[in-house]
Amino acid sequence: MPNINYDYIESYLKGLYIEKDPFLANIEEYGLRENIPIIEKESLELLRLIISIFKPNRILEIGTAIGYSAISMAKLDSKINITSFEINEKNYNIAIDNIKKAKLLDRIEVRFGDASELLTKLREDEIFDFVFIDAAKSHYLEYFNDIYKNLSNRSIIFSDNVLFKGMIADDSLVPRRDRTIVRNMREYLSFLTSQNSIKTSVIPIGDGVAISLIEKE
Ligand SMILES: C[S@@+](CC[C@H](N)C(=O)[O-])C[C@H]1O[C@@H](n2cnc3c(N)ncnc32)[C@H](O)[C@@H]1O
């Protein structure tokens, strides 16, 4: 349990959300069995809800893993197209295989490499109205700054793991090796919550989620 919610609340929520799609349930089970980090159930339900309300057309995902969240998002609406970045070759190959099996290769493109590099290579005409950030926790602010020029005039950024096992809110939980992550994530949340053009809610479910609405002039 990640020190964010009471254990009994978390267990209850996890038991409440049963994956209804057998194909996704299989990927979820594989991820849990093989220790591949995938979005927590309660955060995924929030992600699905926000996408269903906001109705984005072009989604950028940073951190594909094995394609669980990308496939979950793409299945919400046939108008959704997704570009997703993944640095781990094994995960990348499993993701491509899963996306192929889901018959979604025409709507989900996974690019292999470091997100920081791939972001700088985005073409000017690749405009996104929804970004799901779920990769290297130290780099979220950098990702935000790099993606800004490719955001539409009204977009959502959904950032996962922003409370990182509760460490972001309490120094006594932070081991030495995680200090940089904690410092950088605090800086990211301070940035998101201090801008006039950004409305952000930080929600203590899963590993902590931040939902931000970005409105350009
Ligand atoms: C939490 S997992 C993503 C889970 C996925 N979004 C899901 O819920 O199904 C994070 C992924 O980000 C990838 N990653 C970490 N650092 C990265 C980087 N610098 N560039 C691209 N991908 C990265 C990891 O290899 C890992 O597969």
Side-chain angles (χ1 to χ4, degrees):
M1 298 286 170
N3 281 323
I4 290 186
N5 230 318
Y6 291 112
D7 288 358
Y8 69 94
I9 301 267
E10 196 174 320
S11 305
Y12 172 72
L13 290 179
K14 286 198 194 304
L16 195 61
Y17 299 123
I18 306 295
E19 181 55 65
K20 296 169 200 81
D21 181 321
F23 182 78
L24 284 168
N26 268 337
I27 305 182
E28 180 192 11
E29 197 190 299
Y30 176 87
L32 295 174
R33 198 174 60 236
E34 297 295 320
N35 248 335
I36 296 165
I38 54 170
I39 187 166
E40 305 205 29
K41 276 176 190 233
E42 55 275 41
S43 308
L44 177 64
E45 288 313 316
L46 183 60
L47 178 68
R48 284 170 158 158
L49 178 66
I50 298 295
I51 290 176
S52 303
I53 295 170
F54 192 70
K55 298 190 184 306
N57 292 315
R58 281 216 65 179
I59 297 179
L60 175 68
E61 176 182 63
I62 305 181
T64 323
I66 53 174
Y68 176 62
S69 49
I71 296 170
S72 301
M73 293 189 285
K75 280 186 170 221
L76 290 173
D77 192 321
S78 60
K79 285 200 231 60
I80 292 175
N81 283 287
I82 300 176
T83 302
S84 186
F85 297 158
E86 177 53 52
I87 200 170
N88 179 296
E89 195 170 359
K90 191 171 171 215
N91 285 351
Y92 169 82
N93 286 325
I94 299 173
I96 296 290
D97 195 45
N98 283 333
I99 295 164
K100 206 181 284 178
K101 284 182 188 143
K103 298 191 174 33
L104 287 168
L105 272 180
D106 57 331
R107 292 199 288 119
I108 305 176
E109 181 201 355
V110 187
R111 298 183 189 169
F112 174 61
D114 179 15
S116 303
E117 254 176 59
L118 293 169
L119 280 170
T120 61
K121 287 185 187 154
L122 282 175
R123 295 188 316 272
E124 257 177 46
D125 64 342
E126 292 185 283
I127 299 297
F128 300 95
D129 47 5
F130 195 99
V131 182
F132 174 34
I133 305 182
D134 193 17
K137 292 183 262 301
S138 282
H139 294 270
Y140 279 25
L141 184 53
E142 179 194 319
Y143 294 156
F144 181 97
N145 288 328
D146 288 341
I147 190 64
Y148 190 79
K149 64 182 188 325
N150 292 79
L151 291 181
S152 65
N153 287 344
R154 200 161 185 271
S155 55
I156 296 272
I157 295 197
F158 189 104
S159 312
D160 196 15
N161 307 109
V162 298
L163 294 175
F164 189 31
K165 301 176 184 164
M167 290 182 207
I168 305 304
D170 186 349
D171 279 337
S172 72
L173 298 171
V174 186
R176 180 175 283 272
R177 66 172 185 280
D178 289 328
R179 281 186 189 167
T180 305
I181 292 180
V182 169
R183 191 181 56 239
N184 291 356
M185 190 61 90
R186 284 179 182 163
E187 202 185 327
Y188 177 59
L189 293 180
S190 296
F191 168 80
L192 287 179
T193 51
S194 63
Q195 303 298 304
N196 286 334
S197 57
I198 305 176
K199 294 180 184 74
T200 293
S201 179
V202 180
I203 304 169
I205 59 164
D207 199 24
V209 162
I211 303 174
S212 309
L213 173 68
I214 291 98
E215 292 177 297
K216 292 186 179 174
E217 293 286 285

